C-alpha cells in the first residue's frame, strides 16, 4: 500500500490503471477505522482492481468546532489497518490540499438533505459532505464508490448526487456492521464511558422493538414510531434528536426505514434499520 498526500500524485498513480481499463474502487473515510470501514474496503477489494481509501477529517462537515477538534485521529493505526484490508492507495491529504486558499465552490443536494440530519445538524453539514465527495469523485474518478448504510441519509444523498451530476460512479451501500451486542460501530463510540456504553444500547433496542411490532404486522406509522420512542424514553441518559419511520429514499414518512439520532452524554449517535429485515 502506498500513502499518497497530494491530488497530483494520486492522479498520476491512477492514470495507468485507468488507461489499462482496470476497475477503480473508492472508499471515503474520516479515519479512526473500525470493522465497519474495513467491511467497505473488503467489498471494494472483491470487485475492483485498484482500491483507493481516502482518509480526511473534513472540517466543512462538522457543525460543532469541539467535535472537529476532538475527532479521533490515529494515522499509524489507520495505515496498518487499511494495508491489512487490502487498500492499494491511502489518500491522506492535509486540509490545504483539499481546500486551497481561495476555495469558493460548494455542491448542494436539495430535498433529501432537508429533514432529520439536515434539520438537526444544519444543511451546512451535508453541503460539506457533498462538496468533499464531489471532489473525491473528480480526483479519483472511481468506477465504484462504497458507503455505509449506517449513515443512511448520507448514502442516499451521495447516490442522488452521483446520478444528478452524471458522475458515472456507481454508489454501493454496504450493510451496517454491529458489535456482538448490537451497537452499530462508529468512530464516536470511543467517547463513551462504561455507563454511556451501556445506555447506548437503547438505540438498537428501540430498532428491535419497532422491528418486532412490524413483524407482528403492525403498519400504523404512529405505532411504529411510538415503539421507538417508548424504548428511548425509558433510558434516562438518552436525549433524542429524532426517532422516525421514513422512506429510505426521501427520508420523509411514510416508509419502513426506522432512523434515530440520540445523544448519550456529549456523544451523538445515529442508527437505522429497514423494518422487516432481520436484526
Ligand atoms: P466515516 O469515517 O464515519 O466518515 O465513515 C466512512 C464510511 O464508513 C461511511 O460510508 C460510513 O457510512 C461507513 N461506516 C461507518 N460506520 C459503519 C458501520 N458500522 N457499518 C458499515 N459502514 C460504516
Amino acid at each position: 500500500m502506498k500513502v499518497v498526500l497530494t491530488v497530483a500524485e494520486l492522479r498520476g498513480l491512477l492514470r495507468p490503471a485507468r488507461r489499462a481499463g482496470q476497475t477503480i474502487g473508492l472508499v471515503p473515510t474520516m479515519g479512526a477505522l473500525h470493522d465497519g470501514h474495513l467491511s467497505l474496503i473488503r467489498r471494494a477489494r472483491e470487485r475492483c482492481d485498484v482500491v483507493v481509501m481516502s482518509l480526511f477529517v473534513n472540517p466543512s462537515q462538522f457543525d460543532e468546532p469541539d467535535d472537529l477538534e476532538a475527532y479521533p485521529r490515529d494515522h499509524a493505526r489507520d495505515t496498518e489497518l487499511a494495508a491489512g484490508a487490502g487498500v492499494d492507495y491511502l489518500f491522506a491529504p492535509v486540509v490545504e490540499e483539499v481546500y486551497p486558499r481561495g476555495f469558493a465552490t460548494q455542491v448542494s443536494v436539495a430535498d433529501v438533505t432537508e429533514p432529520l440530519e439536515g434539520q438537526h445538524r444544519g444543511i451546512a453539514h451535508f453541503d460539506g459532505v457533498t462538496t468533499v465527495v464531489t471532489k473525491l469523485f473528480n480526483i479519483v474518478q472511481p468506477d465504484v464508490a462504497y458507503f455505509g448504510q449506517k449513515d443512511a441519509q448520507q448514502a442516499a444523498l451521495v447516490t442522488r448526487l452521483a446520478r444528478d451530476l452524471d458522475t458515472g460512479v456507481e454508489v454501493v451501500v454496504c450493510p451496517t456492521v454491529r458489535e456482538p451486542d448490537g451497537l452499530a460501530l462508529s468512530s464516536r463510540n470511543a467517547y463513551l464511558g462504561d455507563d454511556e456504553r451501556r445506555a447506548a444500547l437503547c438505540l438498537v433496542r428501540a430498532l428491535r422493538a419497532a422491528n418486532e411490532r412490524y413483524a407482528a404486522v403492525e403498519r400504523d406509522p404512529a405505532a411504529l414510531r411510538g415503539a421507538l420512542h417508548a424504548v428511548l424514553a425509558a433510558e434516562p441518559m438518552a436525549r433524542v434528536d429524532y426517532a422516525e419511520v421514513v422512506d429510505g429514499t426521501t427520508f420523509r414518512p411514510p416508509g419502513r426505514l426506522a432512523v434515530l439520532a440520540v445523544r448519550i452524554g456529549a456523544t451523538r449517535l445515529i442508527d437505522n434499520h429497514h423494518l422487516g429485515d432481520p436484526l
Side-chain angles (χ1 to χ4, degrees):
M1 185 183 76
K2 186 168 173 48
V3 178
V4 184
L5 302 179
T6 67
V7 173
E9 190 188 3
L10 185 61
R11 283 226 171 94
L13 288 165
L14 291 173
R15 207 167 286 131
R18 190 167 301 104
R19 282 219 192 97
Q22 294 190 322
T23 305
I24 299 173
L26 169 67
V27 180
T29 81
M30 299 203 299
L33 299 185
H34 51 63
D35 277 340
H37 299 111
L38 301 184
S39 74
L40 307 189
I41 298 169
R42 290 192 200 104
R43 277 286 289 275
R45 190 67 282 169
E46 278 165 25
R47 174 164 164 203
C48 303
D49 301 307
V50 180
V51 175
V52 181
M53 185 190 101
S54 58
L55 193 177
F56 180 62
V57 182
N58 177 31
S60 71
Q61 73 187 70
F62 282 79
D63 38 304
E64 292 168 13
D66 291 351
D67 188 22
L68 172 61
E69 179 88 3
Y71 200 80
R73 293 164 171 90
D74 190 342
H75 223 287
R77 181 175 173 276
D78 286 345
T79 305
E80 204 171 299
L81 288 172
V87 169
D88 296 305
Y89 299 118
L90 171 57
F91 178 51
V94 296
V95 172
E96 294 72 25
E97 179 72 7
V98 179
Y99 301 112
R101 185 189 280 274
F103 185 88
T105 302
Q106 191 163 284
V107 179
S108 194
V109 173
D111 278 346
V112 61
T113 48
E114 285 157 22
L116 305 175
E117 289 295 284
Q119 195 183 331
H120 285 268
R121 297 192 66 178
I123 211 82
H125 161 65
F126 278 142
D127 286 350
V129 171
T130 42
T131 301
V132 84
V133 167
T134 303
K135 284 178 66 80
L136 289 168
F137 282 7
N138 285 332
I139 294 164
V140 176
Q141 296 176 37
D143 299 283
V144 199
Y146 295 83
F147 291 84
Q149 174 66 20
K150 161 74 172 31
D151 299 277
Q153 202 173 352
Q154 169 177 284
L157 66 92
V158 168
T159 303
R160 183 78 262 158
L161 159 90
R163 289 195 193 135
D164 287 354
L165 295 185
D166 302 305
T167 59
V169 179
E170 180 190 344
V171 174
V172 172
V173 182
C174 302
T176 301
V177 178
R178 297 179 179 280
E179 299 280 9
D181 62 8
L183 182 69
L185 295 188
S186 163
S187 305
R188 291 191 164 85
N189 292 350
Y191 302 147
L192 300 170
D194 290 348
D195 289 349
E196 293 174 335
R197 173 66 181 73
R198 268 189 293 280
L201 285 175
C202 69
L203 280 89
V204 71
R205 272 204 306 273
L207 295 174
R208 285 193 182 122
N211 213 34
E212 277 161 25
R213 296 291 295 273
Y214 192 89
V217 204
E218 178 63 81
R219 293 293 182 272
D220 174 23
L224 294 169
R225 184 178 181 278
L228 296 173
H229 280 272
V231 173
L232 297 174
E235 172 47 65
M237 291 178 83
R239 281 180 298 127
V240 180
D241 266 8
Y242 60 77
E244 302 288 339
V245 182
V246 297
D247 176 83
T249 308
T250 63
F251 286 82
R252 292 182 168 87
R256 67 173 187 94
L257 183 69
V259 281
L260 310 173
V262 178
R263 287 173 199 268
I264 306 288
T267 306
R268 185 175 186 275
L269 300 174
I270 59 171
D271 201 351
N272 67 88
H273 183 67
H274 271 117
L275 300 181
D277 291 352
L279 180 63

